[in-house]
Amino acid sequence: MINFVMPDLYPASAEIFILVMACVLLLVDLFAGKGRRWLAYLMAQLTLAGCFGITFITMDGQGVTTFSNMFVDDLFADFLKLALYPAVAIMLVYSRAYLAARNLDRGEFYLLVLFATLGMMVMISASHFVTVYLGLELLALSMYALVAIDRDSVRATEAAMKYFVLGSMASGLLLYGMSMVYGAVGTLEIAEMGQRIALGGGNKTVLVFGLVFVIAGLAFKLGVVPFHMWIPDVYHGAPTAVTLLLGSAPKLAAFAITLRVLVTGLAELAEHWQVMLMILAALSIALGNLAAIAQRNLKRMLAYSAISHMGFMLLGVLSGIVGGDPRFTLNAYSSAMFYAIAYVLMSLGAFGMILLLSRAGFEAEDIDDFKGLNRRSPWFAAIMMILMFSMAGVPFFVGFFAKFAVLQAVVAANQVWLAVFAVLFSLVGAFYYLRVVKVMYFDAPTDTAPIEAPRDMRILLSINGLAVAFVGLLPEGVLKYSIYATYTFLLGS
Amino acid sequence: MSGLPLLSLAIWLPILGGLLVLATGSDRNAGLARPLALAVAVAGFLVTLPLYIGFDLTTSAMQFTELRQWIPRFNIHYSLGVDGISVLFILLNSFITPLVVLAGWKVIGEKVAQYMAAFLIMSGLMNGIFSALDAVLFYVFFEASLIPMYIIIGAWGGPNRVYAAFKFFLYTLLGSLLMLVALIWLFFQSGFSFSLLDWHAMKIPLTAQIWLFLAFLVAFAVKVPMWPVHTWLPDAHVEAPTGGSVVLAAIMLKLGAYGFLRFSLPIAPDASRELAWLMIALSLIAVVYIGFVALVQSDMKKLIAYSSISHMGFVTLGFFIFNQLGVEGALVQMISHGFVSGAMFLCVGVLYDRVHSRQIADYGGVVHTMPKFAAFMVLFAMANSGLPATSGFVGEFMVILGAVKHNFWIGFAAATTLILGAAYTLWMVKRVLFGAVANHHVAELADINAREFAILGILALCVLGMGLYPLPFTEVMHASVDNLLQHVAASKF
């Protein structure tokens, strides 16, 4: 008799739910006619709400692993997922009118979004190299299709092609690195790997060799220099609704796997990956901010700004272990997590603004399309101003405390010069954010069409903008939330 | 009276009032926005009066303190308090705000609510800077105050306003970002405290003190502004609307000087003494060289801007000769300069509103058509050149006495300002006010109306009052300055 043990499904109930719902959506969409497109939208939103409920209810302090230790459900995962669902749901609200105006609001779109979300959830809960890879590919394949969902757009097709080719290569690199690590320590399970390496298992040369490839793969997914080439083109080429998805929630998932792989699995190699991350971070901050200055297209500008923001987040990840001393790990990783959450919040708002000003046959994606927004709509000009100043790291907005948290982690790790480098390039960054404020407030409008976004989007976007200001005034709640999450994460590793 | 959180009121009343003014919306409601703004500004001034009335002259300790936890994660407190050094600036700031609102009453016809709101919010933020006793709180206010000023210069400024607004923002941001790194470094050195009073008592090795001093120097020297980082100021002044220039000269420049007293001197006293030669040299260059630069200006606003730099050089000189006369003289000079430079810019504003030119060459013989105005302008010009019985004399004379006490030749060089200041101010007044009526614009000038008379009249009373009887100003600062000087004299490493 084969001894078959049913795995514990409870920790993965949210993932199972979303998978089932995605399949139901596929079926429903088949029978719903053209007139019932709202059904797919509604189902996707309900699914996300359901996931939120399930994750919230099943959340407890203990980290539980299941599927032969391939899948972990700890507070870290739960907290990140609880941030992930709203991010995707907000993205759906923002994109609805935009997609409808372009006839893209088909069932596939929502289906792919749900699959991408599932991919991200799997990534966040991955405790095994195979799960990491599975989640990553599920996300990536859904995203390739989403980028190309506007079949008639040459630019989108080109972007999807580029994304696919480079993405596959990055996945290959990651797999190669993982196989090297496996060859050295003989396990793919991340926690087990960490223990074996700590006990002196594995050939260091092979491990470091594998590490280089793993880092390259992760860096591609995070989109940091020199693995950033796809970011501007894909952000620019994809329909803005997809850019919004691409530029927000996946950053949380990428952050989660970075931490799981590097800290839980390869902490013993910290002195090696810290140097690599330092180079990646410094290059990203420099190049992202410098290249953003030259952009006339807001989507491209935000793409380069995303590169620099991810570099900033990596600063937090690399300051955790100082010369083998893990005293500051909690401080550093929770700061990086706070940064990731803050970035997602700002990024949602900024791309949401592009969607707000777009209408049928018109993409408000040039910086000049924001000219004189203060005259057209003082309220949304103020929201955009909040978002831009927040991204530039000016108080009282959340971006300031995100930068502050990461900078203090860097200084705690005795890397004062790195902090000085980072702030000097934030100064460069301030320039292009200020330019957006400039066109909104100092220039006369060229486009005088009324803003015709639906009410739910207006309200949500306003809340989004105000949240950036509110969390900036009182950041303690989110800071605590990242501390708890990181604390349980570190306990488990 | 003591039960009320007066400092919080002084900060948040104008800010919330400003948001309320903003809510009146478009220019159709300008008739509502103006009186509302004035009411808020006056109320903002009235709540600061008890700070002076209830001020305890006998102690150098912080008064009217408020302490609440703000961000426990980083041990950041909402900690407010004033001593003899800061209380006067809060009063000055709250006093200038209603005048600025009045000055923009008729001239600003577009986006009135936003204009008024920007000034009110800025006034609240600057009160925050002067009363913050927590470094992060200070920093947050310090940087947030850039936003309204950026908008004011850029949205209501002159032809080259965009350039000036960017230059203003980026210059100031450069300095403050480096200071942020220094603050974070101090946080770790002091055992996780951001309290300024803790930092004042903390021991720091000399090399570290020098680095800190330099980081603070960049931040505050830009703000003061000291030679050679002063170049943003003439641009900002020339392009800003009258109200913007007034606030810039009267309050914003004082932030830098105040920073020296609150940060540089008490936190790094040994470095301050080590580097006093540098500060004195830079100050003297500002006094003498910039004085000559002012002499050759053809634009009235530029001339007053350079005169401001020169006068602020006097202030920094007073700080770094480390005696009671010097520091108190510098403080008196700051208050006096707040009245005088504000009044000078208002005078230029009065002329500009009528003729739309700031060029000295476009005027001549204004006294024939605007006798009341001419009387005021002559008075303020006299104060600007330091005539006895005006407020300008008191501070300058004290600093010169202090400087002579320190070193005769420094005093001698500083005293040249009495000649230079008189030369450039009076020469300008001569060319603008006196002589024959230059052209038909001047011939058609109407004298100042009741509103302008009231604004200039109030300032004239202040200038004369302070010149004749400066005791109410100096007695407030004695205890705190004494304490500061003892603190600076003691070695800290």
Side-chain angles (χ1 to χ4, degrees):
Chain A
M1 274 301 280
I2 301 167
N3 195 2
F4 180 76
V5 181
M6 184 71 186
D8 182 9
L9 295 179
Y10 183 71
S13 27
E15 282 78 2
I16 294 169
F17 175 72
I18 196 171
L19 179 64
V20 171
M21 288 303 285
C23 297
V24 173
L25 195 152
L26 192 61
L27 282 176
V28 169
D29 187 57
L30 203 59
F31 296 107
K34 232 186 155 206
R36 294 215 187 81
R37 283 191 171 164
W38 52 269
L39 202 60
Y41 170 78
L42 193 67
M43 278 186 67
Q45 287 289 28
L46 287 177
T47 308
L48 289 168
C51 282
F52 191 93
I54 293 173
T55 305
F56 194 77
I57 291 164
T58 59
M59 180 166 65
D60 60 20
Q62 263 86 49
V64 193
T65 57
T66 179
F67 298 109
S68 321
N69 291 341
M70 289 178 83
F71 185 95
V72 62
D73 180 33
D74 51 10
L75 267 184
F76 178 67
D78 289 337
F79 279 162
L80 280 176
K81 283 180 199 165
L82 289 181
L84 174 72
Y85 309 134
V88 178
I90 289 170
M91 166 258 158
L92 287 179
V93 175
Y94 289 173
S95 348
R96 198 173 160 208
Y98 176 91
L99 292 169
R102 284 155 190 76
N103 199 22
L104 296 173
D105 57 341
R106 297 181 293 252
E108 302 96 277
F109 180 84
Y110 298 102
L111 183 75
L112 287 168
V113 168
L114 287 188
F115 274 124
T117 312
L118 175 61
M120 292 186 258
M121 290 159 74
V122 171
M123 280 162 79
I124 289 172
S125 276
S127 60
H128 193 280
F129 270 178
V130 171
T131 336
V132 169
Y133 187 72
L134 272 178
L136 208 54
E137 282 305 278
L138 185 52
L139 168 66
L141 287 170
S142 315
M143 290 310 306
Y144 301 146
L146 278 172
V147 171
I149 199 155
D150 187 2
R151 279 171 299 195
D152 301 331
S153 160
V154 179
R155 225 171 52 184
T157 317
E158 187 195 323
M161 204 59 208
K162 189 163 188 182
Y163 187 23
F164 177 67
V165 172
L166 288 173
S168 314
M169 200 178 79
S171 299
L173 288 178
L174 186 65
L175 268 187
Y176 187 58
M178 286 173 170
S179 71
M180 299 290 284
V181 174
Y182 178 68
V185 293
T187 179
L188 286 171
E189 205 180 294
I190 295 174
E192 174 75 21
M193 183 186 304
Q195 283 163 13
R196 287 199 194 171
I197 300 176
L199 293 172
N203 181 324
K204 272 279 153 66
T205 318
V206 181
L207 273 177
V208 172
F209 197 68
L211 176 69
V212 172
F213 286 98
V214 170
I215 295 261
L218 291 177
F220 179 89
K221 299 298 170 190
L222 283 169
V224 289
V225 180
F227 304 100
H228 66 286
M229 272 82 86
W230 62 282
I231 295 250
D233 291 335
V234 176
Y235 272 43
H236 183 193
T240 310
V242 178
T243 313
L244 171 61
L245 177 63
L246 198 61
S248 54
K251 307 288 182 200
L252 293 174
F255 167 73
I257 56 167
T258 307
L259 224 55
R260 289 211 194 271
V261 170
L262 294 183
V263 178
T264 313
L266 304 171
E268 287 296 312
L269 304 176
E271 48 171 332
H272 298 288
W273 56 254
Q274 279 175 332
V275 180
M276 297 182 210
L277 291 189
M278 196 184 291
I279 296 168
L280 295 177
L283 285 177
S284 304
I285 293 172
L287 191 119
N289 280 326
L290 289 175
I293 291 180
Q295 307 307 320
R296 296 262 152 250
N297 181 292
L298 188 57
K299 277 160 84 179
R300 279 190 100 81
M301 188 198 101
L302 288 173
Y304 281 106
S305 120
I307 295 171
S308 76
H309 279 290
M310 285 303 108
F312 235 100
M313 192 198 76
L314 282 187
L315 287 183
V317 176
L318 67 87
S319 331
I321 304 169
V322 190
D325 176 5
R327 219 170 2 129
F328 291 112
T329 43
L330 182 61
N331 182 23
Y333 301 149
S334 67
S335 301
M337 181 169 167
F338 180 70
Y339 199 98
I341 294 173
Y343 175 72
V344 169
L345 191 62
M346 298 185 290
S347 165
L348 279 171
F351 285 112
M353 282 300 302
I354 301 181
L355 292 173
L356 178 87
L357 297 189
S358 298
R359 52 183 180 269
F362 175 71
E363 305 270 344
E365 58 177 37
D366 279 334
I367 294 178
D368 283 349
D369 293 330
F370 280 73
K371 268 192 177 171
L373 185 62
N374 183 36
R375 266 171 226 247
R376 291 170 64 198
S377 165
W379 174 252
F380 283 107
I383 296 284
M384 186 65 173
M385 178 175 76
I386 291 176
L387 290 165
M388 287 297 113
F389 276 121
S390 177
M391 283 203 172
V394 177
F396 283 89
F397 308 118
V398 65
F400 168 71
F401 282 104
K403 285 218 163 71
F404 177 86
V406 166
L407 284 176
Q408 63 83 26
V410 174
V411 174
N414 274 328
Q415 307 275 5
V416 178
W417 287 112
L418 195 57
V420 170
F421 176 86
V423 296
L424 287 181
F425 276 99
S426 326
L427 179 72
V428 176
F431 174 77
Y432 58 86
Y433 297 121
L434 278 181
R435 198 171 56 194
V436 178
V437 178
K438 176 230 153 197
V439 298
M440 290 192 306
Y441 279 85
F442 308 166
D443 291 349
T446 45
D447 175 7
T448 46
I451 295 167
E452 46 191 33
R455 183 183 298 262
D456 55 346
M457 173 180 187
R458 286 160 176 269
I459 293 174
L460 197 63
L461 190 56
S462 307
I463 294 175
N464 191 168
L466 294 179
V468 166
F470 180 78
V471 182
L473 268 178
L474 300 167
E476 180 64 14
V478 187
L479 282 165
K480 254 197 199 128
Y481 172 108
S482 349
I483 285 264
Y484 287 144
T486 317
Y487 181 67
T488 55
F489 164 77
L490 289 169
L491 274 189
S493 59
Chain B
M1 184 160 74
S2 57
L4 278 173
L6 287 172
L7 289 172
S8 280
L9 273 179
I11 297 170
W12 297 106
L13 187 92
I15 294 182
L16 297 177
L19 294 178
L20 193 68
V21 172
L22 209 51
T24 61
S26 70
D27 286 341
R28 269 173 295 140
N29 299 330
L32 176 64
R34 289 192 188 103
L36 186 64
L38 185 63
V40 171
V42 170
F45 177 56
L46 291 180
V47 295
T48 59
L49 283 179
L51 291 175
Y52 185 81
I53 297 164
F55 194 83
D56 181 357
L57 297 179
T58 56
T59 172
S60 65
M62 291 295 164
Q63 306 185 30
F64 305 101
T65 52
E66 289 171 41
L67 183 66
R68 252 180 235 106
Q69 285 215 324
W70 180 25
I71 308 175
R73 162 81 169 85
F74 298 119
N75 203 13
I76 299 171
H77 291 88
Y78 177 76
S79 166
L80 302 175
V82 284
D83 62 1
I85 295 170
S86 50
V87 68
L88 290 175
F89 293 107
I90 294 185
L91 283 161
L92 177 66
N93 178 27
S94 305
F95 169 75
I96 292 286
T97 309
L99 298 185
V100 168
V101 168
L102 276 175
W105 200 265
K106 274 272 143 51
V107 191
I108 302 297
E110 264 183 27
K111 295 171 278 183
V112 178
Q114 291 186 1
Y115 178 87
M116 298 295 179
F119 277 103
L120 291 173
I121 291 172
M122 192 158 58
S123 157
L125 291 174
M126 289 194 296
N127 277 343
I129 302 172
F130 287 122
S131 53
L133 292 182
D134 183 285
V136 175
L137 191 65
F138 174 90
Y139 182 84
V140 160
F141 282 126
F142 192 73
E143 228 182 72
S145 67
L146 298 182
I147 300 177
M149 199 46 152
Y150 170 75
I151 303 273
I152 288 168
I153 297 177
W156 292 278
N160 205 10
R161 62 211 157 92
V162 175
Y163 172 76
F166 272 77
K167 197 169 177 182
F168 160 76
F169 197 101
L170 294 177
Y171 252 77
T172 326
L173 190 65
L174 165 72
S176 49
L177 282 171
L178 289 174
M179 179 172 77
L180 179 64
V181 178
L183 298 182
I184 292 173
W185 188 85
L186 276 165
F187 171 65
F188 288 105
Q189 292 305 305
S190 61
F192 310 108
S193 165
F194 273 118
S195 157
L196 285 180
L197 298 180
D198 286 356
W199 288 1
H200 289 182
M202 183 180 139
K203 298 231 175 296
I204 309 168
L206 183 61
T207 338
Q209 278 196 33
I210 290 194
W211 281 113
L212 286 173
F213 185 87
L214 292 176
F216 291 141
L217 177 62
V218 179
F220 300 136
V222 169
K223 203 86 181 179
V224 166
M226 297 177 75
W227 184 87
V229 285
H230 63 280
T231 60
W232 63 272
L233 186 75
D235 286 315
H237 266 317
V238 168
E239 299 303 329
T242 305
S245 292
V246 172
V247 172
L248 203 55
I251 318 293
M252 270 214 161
L253 303 190
K254 311 304 182 291
L255 298 175
Y258 171 75
F260 281 119
L261 291 186
R262 195 55 96 219
F263 284 82
S264 308
L265 289 177
I267 292 173
D270 299 292
S272 304
R273 273 179 278 124
E274 281 294 305
L275 295 174
W277 60 271
L278 175 71
M279 301 301 294
I280 291 175
L282 291 179
S283 307
L284 286 179
I285 293 175
V287 169
V288 179
Y289 165 71
I290 299 293
F292 278 110
V293 174
L295 208 50
V296 296
Q297 297 305 316
S298 57
D299 180 308
M300 284 190 275
K301 263 189 158 179
K302 233 177 189 155
L303 190 146
I304 305 169
Y306 280 111
S307 131
S308 284
I309 301 170
S310 169
H311 281 106
M312 289 309 286
F314 234 82
V315 171
T316 44
L317 175 69
F319 289 164
F320 285 89
I321 51 181
F322 306 116
N323 56 40
Q324 185 106 19
L325 272 172
V327 177
E328 288 191 5
L331 284 168
V332 171
Q333 168 80 342
M334 277 157 81
I335 305 283
S336 150
H337 180 254
F339 295 136
V340 176
S341 69
M344 289 298 281
F345 277 117
L346 284 167
C347 286
V348 177
V350 166
L351 288 177
Y352 183 79
D353 294 342
R354 288 164 171 73
V355 183
H356 297 288
S357 166
R358 290 180 307 256
Q359 296 301 315
I360 296 175
D362 289 347
Y363 295 91
V366 171
V367 70
H368 299 298
T369 43
M370 299 176 76
K372 282 187 240 163
F373 169 76
F376 278 123
M377 187 149 170
V378 167
L379 169 70
F380 294 130
M382 291 300 177
N384 199 39
S385 41
L387 188 81
T390 64
S391 65
F393 173 74
V394 184
E396 286 188 10
F397 191 63
M398 284 167 82
V399 174
I400 292 171
L401 281 182
V404 168
K405 225 167 149 188
H406 183 78
N407 176 324
F408 173 76
W409 290 107
I410 293 175
F412 180 79
T416 56
T417 190
L418 290 174
I419 300 163
L420 278 173
Y424 58 70
T425 320
L426 297 183
W427 192 32
M428 176 187 83
V429 166
K430 182 219 150 229
R431 283 179 292 168
V432 171
L433 293 184
F434 302 115
V437 172
N439 52 41
H440 70 280
H441 288 301
V442 176
E444 289 157 11
L445 281 175
D447 210 346
I448 47 178
N449 58 30
R451 182 176 51 84
E452 290 162 334
F453 189 89
I455 301 172
L456 294 177
I458 291 171
L459 281 169
L461 285 180
C462 293
V463 168
L464 284 175
M466 192 173 172
L468 292 169
Y469 189 56
L471 186 72
F473 295 91
T474 52
E475 67 175 2
V476 175
M477 53 184 80
H478 277 320
S480 298
V481 170
D482 249 350
N483 179 50
L484 177 73
L485 286 170
Q486 279 169 22
H487 189 92
V488 174
S491 179
K492 249 185 105 174
F493 56 87

